[in-house]
Amino acid sequence: RRRVDAAARLDRTHRSSPAGAMAGGGKRDAKGKGAAAMAGLLLENGVLRVGTRAILEGVSPRFELETVRDDRVRSDCTGELVRDLDPTHVGVLSLGENANGHSGAHRADPISRHVVQIASRLPTTSRFVANARCKLWWMTPTWGGSECGSIPPETQFLLLEIGVGEGGGGGATGRADASAPTEKKTSGRRKKEKKEKPGTAYVAFLPLISADGFRATLSGHALDAKTAREQSGEGGDGRPLCLVAESGDAATTCSKADSILCVAVASSPFEAAEAVVAAASRRTRTFGLRVDKVVPPTAEVFGWCTWDAFYHSVTPAGVEAGVASLASGGTPARFVIVDDGWQSVTPDAAYRKKVDHISDHPPGSPFRSADAEGLRRSASLPATPSKSDLFQTTETPERSVLRSVDAFGVSGRSSPGAPENASPAPSSRSSPARDDVFDAYGQTPGNKMTRLARVTRSAANPLRRENFSRAKSRLKQSVSHLASTEVHRGNDRIENAMATALVAAQAAAKQAHIPVPSEPAKAWWPMRAAALVATGMASGLESAYWHGVHSSPYLGLSWRWFKFLGQGVLSPAIRAAVSTLSCFNHRVSLIEANVKFANSETQGGTQGTTKKRKRQKPGSDGFADVVARIKSLGVEHVYCWHALFGYWGGLHPDADEMKRFKPVMTTPRHTPGLLAVEPSQAWDPITLGGVGVAENAEDLGSFYRELHAYLAKAGVDGVKVDGQAVVGGLGHGRGGGPALAKKLHTMLEASVKLHFPTNGLINCMCHSSENILNFRTSSLARVSDDFYPTNRASHTVHVANVAYNSVFMGEIVVPDWDMFQSHCGEAGALHAAARAVGGCPVYVSDAPGKHDFALLRKLVFPSGRVLRGSLPGRPTRDCVFSDPCSDKTTALKIWNKNARNDCGVVGAFNVQGASWSRAKGIFVERFDDAAEFVVAEVSPSDVETLRSSKDSCDALEEEARSSASTSFPPLFAVHAHRSGETRALGAKDVWRVKLRPKQWEIYAVARVRRTREETTNRDSTLKNLQWAFIGLTGMLNGGGAVLSDSHRVEREANGASKSSSAARGKRLTNARRVCVVAFATVYGCGSLAAFATARPRSVLVDGEPVAFGFDRDATGATGEVCGGRVLVPLGPREDTHEVQMRFEA
């Protein structure tokens, strides 16, 4: 009774406030019997509750709750009006300055880092999923039960499932059963086995950045629990959930922080996420929502990025070869990202080389005319066309570059005889990143490819009779070439310099044995033995680093020792290795592009970033010619890469052209939370070498404007801005990382708006909330770590990460799921399928000539257009709280919708067997954890937009049950892409499919249309006619090709019918023929699949009758045949087609 009275007083007080008046205006009539129990959010006596259910217990008295109104008009997830949904309750928590301790009530001291307990227990939580940073640049999902200590530090979004008695896995899967068939049909009318329990609700927490620049995160880490007890002056033990609010600058302090955490409670996890992000956007006004932003046109076309194809060795001729290679297979790239490697950068003076491995032509590059000439003489290969030759040709640009590609040995043909839906066979060389150091540009002779960079090896062949000094030169060149390609080991372009040096030593040792006929054979055995020993040592040291040094726990004894070594004794050696082999201590020395991207007049005879270049008028250095050449090959949009601070090492303070921006060398000082996540940041190359940061943020804004003006004048359409998350460690002395990030993103977006009017900005390596919560107008951002072609363990984890991170980030931006490589065997097919359902831009990073065109044609039309889903791809509701990577039972299911109403797509993936290890900070592959297969249960209700219509679906079911018809009419037609099977399912029926590791299937779901009372003849075969236009069979997201559909009933006079017996003399009546015409507007080419319970009398495409197929093999939930699949040929012409199916009685 006292609790009810207190609640009534609080409610009256709240209603009298302006915020309370807004919240009161937001009350709605509850829809659904469970809504009454959720009377609203209330914080009282250390308990945060919704209605009668406690969400958090043990909340610090410093927290104050303000309920706010859910101002959404229509749900973006379901498309329904918010007033028609179950009510969503939203609140904002602030951190007050009044606290209680052993000494009683007191005022909190102004400090730069507050750690406050927000929960000692999660009493009604059954499961959670937390999106937390896994390294400086990225975040990854973590799953758990009700333990506060399981929530990792740097959690930036937390989703709870409450109201369930006991935890457990979702209903996405069944147990692996060795005797189960590939596709198991159910006996009887089967519903989903795992049903959502009545009263289940979902709570979303979004830590914010306060107006005075304090960034909040959640943490269950033991060190934060200890700090919280020290700051509060209270004792206790255990691992509570803490809120951490910090400025990142010791001089920026406060004793309280307003609007530090937003919370929303809803009956759907996606509604809770949408509501909490929308409320936070309105509250902070620092970031916008995806639904309100302009999406660049690059999201709708196929693209190509240069990074995994060339790394830093990218050249204009290489870009042209890559574009032409894709076009030769019928999958043209319409947008291109020129990634890292085009800028004019240099290391500090003490570490400069005569030929820089980033800004200069790579040694042995086939695109450097002098080197190519020498290689041609030594290997007796045909001459390679130079860049100037390509410009002077009289042929069309496409034909010219294709001819040059043929000269390189590049072939765009895919594997002959492969089944249409077969995954490409794994390549013996899965990526240029894992190839031998001489193999950087092509393929093996097995597919008619002779890599130009491989010429150096053929030159060392015994048949060439080279001397020992020549062999030594080749060995030295191999090490330099390794530096230019930067072999991936799964950690952000080898972000640790020690590991980079070890990889280089290992590869150099492998190349040490170069047989030379002029030397006695016995003289080579010591080198061979030394090479084996060096290889073993390098591999052992590398393994020791990643599994020992890299994972040393923060503040542990080993961590302190390695920090001392890294920042002290070994610092000069590390910096020298990084400057020689990597990119993280290079800094911008010039606005204009480097010599690789300048024209021949600018290049001169000798290239080198150390050579002083005369400042030129923007656009006069030949970079505009490079961009024009790329666009002449059919590319519509060209983006260029740069980092948030210009480059990894920032702006060069000693470069004359950079002094006007007043760069100051700054050493990153990362927060304790980040160091707990990634302890090796204490000796990271960027930490050791520092970053050149403009003294005033406004000067960096001037750098953005000058750089973007130069790019725009050259014809560039946008930028990819990388390396953003380091801003959190560079804010000391500048008001803190959050305050600095807010200024930088404001100026960055203003410059992009001025110079790239299509909103051409991709945010990357940005997974710290000081970046994400400042995306005011930018609408594209990467949502996961890189796709690492050579790291097998990362391939499946990447698919899970992008899906789960999109639950949160997909409300702010269109998620970018990163590039992939189509030729990476089963991993390439897995990622292609994921991109098809991801609602993301689709682009690859294939090396020229290394493509699986059979796979790419399932994603890309001949025009370069792709079928992108309308929403961000997210995990289905029944597997949101299950770990699809390591629980051995869950199949990851990703849902999306397409532009047409009442249709969607579901992708089912087996991504078991590998995961991200937070303890080691690397991807780990556990073969013991990989079940032989998992079973996915796919249902039309997996698509949230179809689930929202369950009331109407139930009504139709009841109507069908009460009808005279003995057969139950289906509600949805579901088509499996790989198997080609079509089924007719009710909203709650399931389709079970067995998936082996890295196997996948995509299901197109379309609402079935039907006739009921349109026909007047009760005996007509049209009375219960049902049909659905499903989609293109040759595309992974074929349902996205059907833009709209409708139907009409026609009645035509037949005239007087003839009597079967004229002798009877009966008078005949005029009959009317009844027919149903179904219409669809379809974009694309190929074959269109449709479902129908009867064979159409005729099918027309663009007004012309066509021969169509009808297979009566569509089954229902119980296995009975209930219709057939109609296959309509649209022809090879890609266009918008009008399709008609005519049914007659």
Side-chain angles (χ1 to χ4, degrees):
R1 183 176 178 180
R2 285 194 299 270
R3 186 162 56 248
V4 171
D5 292 340
R9 288 194 302 273
L10 181 62
D11 184 66
R12 287 194 298 271
T13 304
H14 176 64
R15 284 174 178 271
S16 63
S17 66
M22 290 179 61
K27 288 184 178 281
R28 296 169 175 81
D29 294 333
K31 174 193 173 186
K33 54 189 177 183
M38 294 169 51
L41 286 168
L42 179 67
L43 177 59
E44 183 183 27
N45 297 328
V47 179
L48 176 67
R49 66 178 71 251
V50 55
T52 59
R53 284 183 285 184
I55 302 173
L56 306 176
E57 288 185 357
V59 182
S60 168
R62 291 189 62 184
F63 287 103
E64 303 167 355
L65 173 68
E66 177 187 353
T67 58
V68 297
R69 177 178 177 176
D70 182 9
D71 282 337
R72 296 177 301 146
V73 176
R74 185 178 295 276
S75 167
D76 180 60
C77 176
T78 64
E80 292 188 311
L81 294 173
V82 173
R83 68 187 181 193
D84 296 332
L85 301 174
D86 289 337
T88 300
H89 303 282
V90 184
V92 176
L93 289 167
S94 297
L95 188 63
E97 57 184 355
N98 296 321
N100 294 322
H102 291 302
S103 58
H106 65 277
R107 186 181 298 272
D109 296 328
I111 52 179
S112 62
R113 186 172 190 262
H114 298 265
V115 184
V116 186
Q117 176 177 308
I118 196 172
S120 60
R121 199 166 71 93
L122 308 175
T124 59
T125 296
S126 59
R127 297 179 295 178
F128 75 78
V129 58
N131 297 92
R133 290 167 80 178
C134 59
K135 56 176 73 171
L136 170 64
W137 313 107
W138 305 110
M139 65 179 176
T140 188
T142 296
W143 299 266
S146 59
E147 304 83 8
C148 293
S150 299
I151 299 174
E154 287 289 309
T155 292
Q156 302 181 128
F157 179 78
L158 178 64
L159 190 61
L160 308 179
E161 181 186 62
I162 66 171
V164 180
E166 58 185 62
T173 67
R175 289 282 175 181
D177 181 3
S179 63
T182 300
E183 290 183 2
K184 185 175 179 180
K185 296 184 180 180
T186 58
S187 59
R189 179 166 172 75
R190 175 142 182 207
K191 306 293 182 182
K192 280 202 170 186
E193 292 180 356
K194 298 274 187 180
K195 293 185 177 180
E196 188 175 306
K197 296 185 178 181
T200 300
Y202 303 91
V203 187
F205 293 93
L206 179 60
L208 305 177
I209 300 174
S210 67
D212 47 359
F214 277 71
R215 169 180 173 264
T217 57
L218 297 174
S219 172
H221 198 273
L223 293 177
D224 289 323
K226 179 181 178 181
T227 303
R229 287 191 289 268
E230 292 174 352
Q231 291 186 5
S232 65
E234 299 178 355
D237 52 9
R239 297 270 294 274
L241 177 62
C242 299
L243 182 136
V244 181
E246 53 197 336
S247 67
D249 181 15
T252 303
T253 63
C254 74
S255 57
K256 63 178 182 178
D258 294 332
S259 302
I260 204 69
L261 179 68
C262 196
V263 57
V265 185
S267 58
S268 159
F270 308 108
E271 289 296 328
E274 182 180 328
V276 76
V277 174
S281 175
R282 292 191 305 272
R283 189 76 172 192
T284 62
R285 301 188 182 278
T286 60
F287 68 96
L289 301 178
R290 169 182 50 81
V291 295
D292 301 325
K293 295 178 178 179
V294 177
V295 180
T298 55
E300 310 300 335
V301 294
F302 180 56
W304 178 67
C305 180
T306 64
W307 178 244
D308 285 320
F310 297 110
Y311 303 115
H312 287 134
S313 301
V314 60
T315 62
V319 178
E320 294 162 19
V323 172
S325 180
L326 284 169
S328 69
T331 57
R334 296 307 183 200
F335 88 94
V336 167
I337 300 175
V338 181
D339 212 286
D340 191 359
W342 70 270
Q343 288 178 281
S344 296
V345 297
T346 183
D348 294 336
Y351 307 107
R352 290 176 187 170
K353 301 180 296 182
K354 183 177 180 180
V355 177
D356 189 78
H357 62 278
I358 298 176
S359 291
D360 289 309
H361 288 280
S365 168
F367 308 123
R368 186 178 183 184
S369 57
D371 291 340
E373 181 68 21
L375 297 178
R376 186 179 70 253
R377 286 196 303 267
S378 63
S380 299
L381 285 183
T384 300
S386 65
K387 181 172 177 291
S388 59
D389 293 335
L390 295 178
F391 274 104
Q392 295 169 3
T393 180
T394 57
E395 299 175 359
T396 62
E398 293 87 349
R399 198 174 290 274
S400 169
V401 175
L402 282 174
R403 188 160 59 84
S404 69
V405 171
D406 290 338
F408 296 159
V410 175
S411 172
R413 290 184 288 272
S414 58
S415 302
E420 180 184 1
N421 293 322
S423 298
S427 170
S428 61
R429 298 183 182 275
S430 60
S431 164
R434 184 57 72 89
D435 288 346
D436 293 336
V437 292
F438 292 106
D439 261 352
Y441 292 99
Q443 287 188 351
T444 60
N447 42 6
K448 300 183 73 173
M449 285 284 295
T450 303
R451 294 191 156 202
L452 284 198
R454 197 176 180 84
V455 173
T456 53
R457 172 172 292 181
S458 65
N461 190 281
L463 298 178
R464 302 305 305 167
R465 302 289 181 180
E466 293 189 6
N467 55 27
F468 182 73
S469 60
R470 184 78 171 191
K472 279 183 63 177
S473 175
R474 296 302 182 190
L475 177 60
K476 182 179 179 181
Q477 181 176 316
S478 72
V479 179
S480 300
H481 195 74
L482 174 77
S484 68
T485 55
E486 287 195 288
V487 182
H488 272 41
R489 286 295 192 239
N491 242 46
D492 293 316
R493 313 183 184 198
I494 323 179
E495 58 188 48
N496 192 283
M498 295 172 65
T500 307
L502 291 173
V503 171
Q506 178 183 2
K510 288 181 179 179
Q511 296 299 323
H513 174 55
I514 306 176
V516 179
S518 61
E519 297 291 331
K522 62 181 182 180
W524 281 95
W525 73 263
M527 180 176 288
R528 184 179 304 177
L532 293 175
V533 172
T535 300
M537 292 180 61
S539 298
L541 290 173
E542 182 186 4
S543 177
Y545 175 81
W546 289 115
H547 295 278
V549 178
H550 181 73
S551 58
S552 300
Y554 173 55
L555 294 183
L557 182 61
S558 60
W559 179 84
R560 296 177 188 273
W561 171 246
F562 291 131
K563 178 185 176 183
F564 167 74
L565 291 177
Q567 295 186 0
V569 179
L570 298 179
S571 178
I574 294 175
R575 290 199 60 195
V578 169
S579 300
T580 302
L581 301 173
S582 188
C583 58
F584 297 105
N585 283 173
H586 278 61
R587 318 185 199 285
V588 178
S589 58
L590 197 66
I591 290 287
E592 289 79 8
N594 60 39
V595 295
K596 292 185 295 182
F597 286 81
N599 59 25
S600 57
E601 288 78 10
T602 305
Q603 287 183 37
T606 305
Q607 288 83 16
T609 54
T610 57
K611 181 179 179 180
K612 187 174 180 180
R613 293 169 57 189
K614 183 179 179 181
R615 178 168 173 77
Q616 299 171 331
K617 186 178 180 181
S620 64
D621 63 339
F623 190 55
D625 295 335
V626 173
V627 176
R629 177 66 181 174
I630 295 172
K631 289 190 173 182
S632 70
L633 301 176
V635 175
E636 299 170 353
H637 314 280
V638 175
Y639 282 25
C640 284
W641 179 100
H642 71 82
L644 185 66
F645 291 94
Y647 201 69
W648 301 106
L651 309 182
H652 208 301
D654 297 332
D656 293 338
E657 297 298 330
M658 294 293 108
K659 289 183 178 179
R660 63 182 180 277
F661 304 118
K662 304 175 183 177
V664 177
M665 292 306 301
T666 305
T667 300
R669 299 178 188 174
H670 297 295
T671 64
L674 190 277
L675 290 174
V677 169
E678 190 177 14
S680 63
Q681 281 297 322
W683 53 86
D684 183 84
I686 296 179
T687 302
L688 301 183
V691 180
V693 182
E695 186 174 3
N696 301 311
E698 292 73 15
D699 292 326
L700 198 53
S702 300
F703 171 79
Y704 293 152
R705 290 189 293 273
E706 285 197 31
L707 176 63
H708 294 169
Y710 165 76
L711 294 175
K713 188 169 183 179
V716 174
D717 304 284
V719 288
K720 173 184 175 182
V721 181
D722 218 334
Q724 296 187 11
V726 73
V727 68
L730 297 173
H732 51 91
R734 298 177 174 87
L740 178 60
K742 183 177 180 180
K743 295 178 181 178
L744 296 186
H745 281 283
T746 299
M747 293 182 292
L748 175 65
E749 292 184 344
S751 179
V752 167
K753 182 179 180 180
L754 177 64
H755 298 100
F756 310 120
T758 59
N759 202 15
L761 172 59
I762 303 174
N763 297 283
C764 190
M765 301 183 83
C766 56
H767 285 191
S768 58
S769 55
E770 59 255 82
N771 293 294
I772 299 171
L773 299 184
N774 280 299
F775 294 159
R776 189 185 301 271
T777 59
S778 57
S779 60
L780 282 174
R782 281 271 304 279
V783 293
S784 178
D785 201 344
D786 288 8
F787 172 81
Y788 297 111
T790 62
N791 191 325
R792 285 173 45 88
S794 71
H795 293 161
T796 53
V797 182
H798 185 281
V799 176
N801 286 353
V802 290
Y804 284 86
N805 286 342
S806 293
V807 174
F808 155 44
M809 291 188 65
E811 301 298 335
I812 301 174
V813 293
V814 173
D816 181 342
W817 287 18
D818 197 18
M819 68 197 97
F820 68 100
Q821 289 188 333
S822 66
H823 58 80
C824 277
E826 58 185 356
L830 177 76
H831 279 260
R835 302 309 187 275
V837 299
C840 56
V842 179
Y843 59 109
V844 296
S845 190
D846 294 350
K850 297 185 69 174
H851 317 287
D852 183 350
F853 283 123
L855 178 66
L856 292 178
R857 292 188 193 105
K858 296 174 180 290
L859 284 170
V860 189
F861 285 119
S863 66
R865 179 174 171 178
V866 298
L867 297 175
R868 187 173 68 91
S870 301
L871 298 175
R874 288 163 282 187
T876 58
R877 187 183 298 204
D878 57 356
C879 64
V880 167
F881 297 96
S882 300
D883 182 356
C885 296
S886 56
D887 68 2
K888 300 183 182 181
T889 61
T890 300
L892 172 62
K893 297 187 299 179
I894 301 174
W895 70 273
N896 210 324
K897 71 178 289 290
N898 289 309
R900 181 176 51 138
N901 292 330
D902 299 332
C903 73
V905 60
V906 178
F909 307 87
N910 184 350
V911 294
Q912 295 283 343
S915 61
W916 175 263
S917 171
R918 288 192 174 273
K920 293 185 176 182
I922 56 175
F923 297 101
V924 292
E925 193 170 17
R926 300 184 179 93
F927 295 100
D928 296 340
D929 289 352
E932 183 180 357
F933 61 80
V934 296
V935 178
E937 295 184 345
V938 179
S939 170
S941 62
D942 286 333
V943 181
E944 289 290 318
T945 53
L946 304 181
R947 174 188 287 265
S948 65
S949 304
K950 63 187 176 81
D951 293 338
S952 60
C953 291
D954 292 341
L956 289 174
E957 290 183 5
E958 292 301 324
E959 177 186 344
R961 293 180 193 279
S962 61
S963 66
S965 175
T966 57
S967 62
F968 180 74
L971 297 172
F972 296 95
V974 184
H975 176 77
H977 172 79
R978 302 190 78 178
S979 68
E981 185 179 352
T982 301
R983 293 188 185 180
L985 303 176
K988 300 177 183 178
D989 294 328
V990 297
W991 185 339
R992 303 182 74 240
V993 61
K994 181 176 69 175
L995 299 172
R996 299 191 180 278
K998 291 189 179 180
Q999 199 173 16
W1000 53 272
E1001 182 60 282
I1002 294 180
Y1003 299 87
V1005 184
R1007 179 71 174 271
V1008 169
R1009 315 298 183 187
R1010 61 177 171 179
T1011 59
R1012 282 174 288 178
E1013 300 299 331
E1014 289 89 346
T1015 59
T1016 57
N1017 186 356
R1018 297 184 61 84
D1019 296 330
S1020 172
T1021 57
L1022 301 182
K1023 178 175 175 56
N1024 292 318
L1025 176 67
Q1026 302 175 58
W1027 72 91
F1029 293 97
I1030 302 174
L1032 299 180
T1033 59
M1035 304 297 287
L1036 293 176
N1037 183 22
V1042 183
L1043 306 180
S1044 62
D1045 69 319
S1046 61
H1047 77 280
R1048 70 168 180 261
V1049 178
E1050 297 179 352
R1051 295 173 177 83
E1052 300 175 353
N1054 279 334
S1057 61
K1058 296 182 179 180
S1059 174
S1060 60
S1061 177
R1064 296 182 181 180
K1066 294 184 178 180
R1067 190 172 183 275
L1068 301 176
T1069 60
N1070 287 338
R1072 297 181 67 84
R1073 184 175 60 186
V1074 180
C1075 63
V1076 176
V1077 183
F1079 304 89
T1081 300
V1082 184
Y1083 180 85
C1085 54
S1087 181
L1088 170 69
F1091 165 82
T1093 54
R1095 180 185 177 89
R1097 178 62 60 89
S1098 62
V1099 175
L1100 280 72
V1101 175
D1102 298 327
E1104 299 292 333
V1106 296
F1108 64 93
F1110 181 74
D1111 301 323
R1112 199 170 186 83
D1113 58 358
T1115 59
T1118 57
E1120 79 285 2
V1121 176
C1122 58
R1125 183 181 62 169
V1126 184
L1127 289 178
V1128 181
L1130 300 181
R1133 180 172 59 90
E1134 179 189 345
D1135 202 350
T1136 301
H1137 302 281
E1138 300 296 332
V1139 181
Q1140 297 183 23
M1141 291 194 303
R1142 189 179 187 89
F1143 302 90
E1144 295 182 0

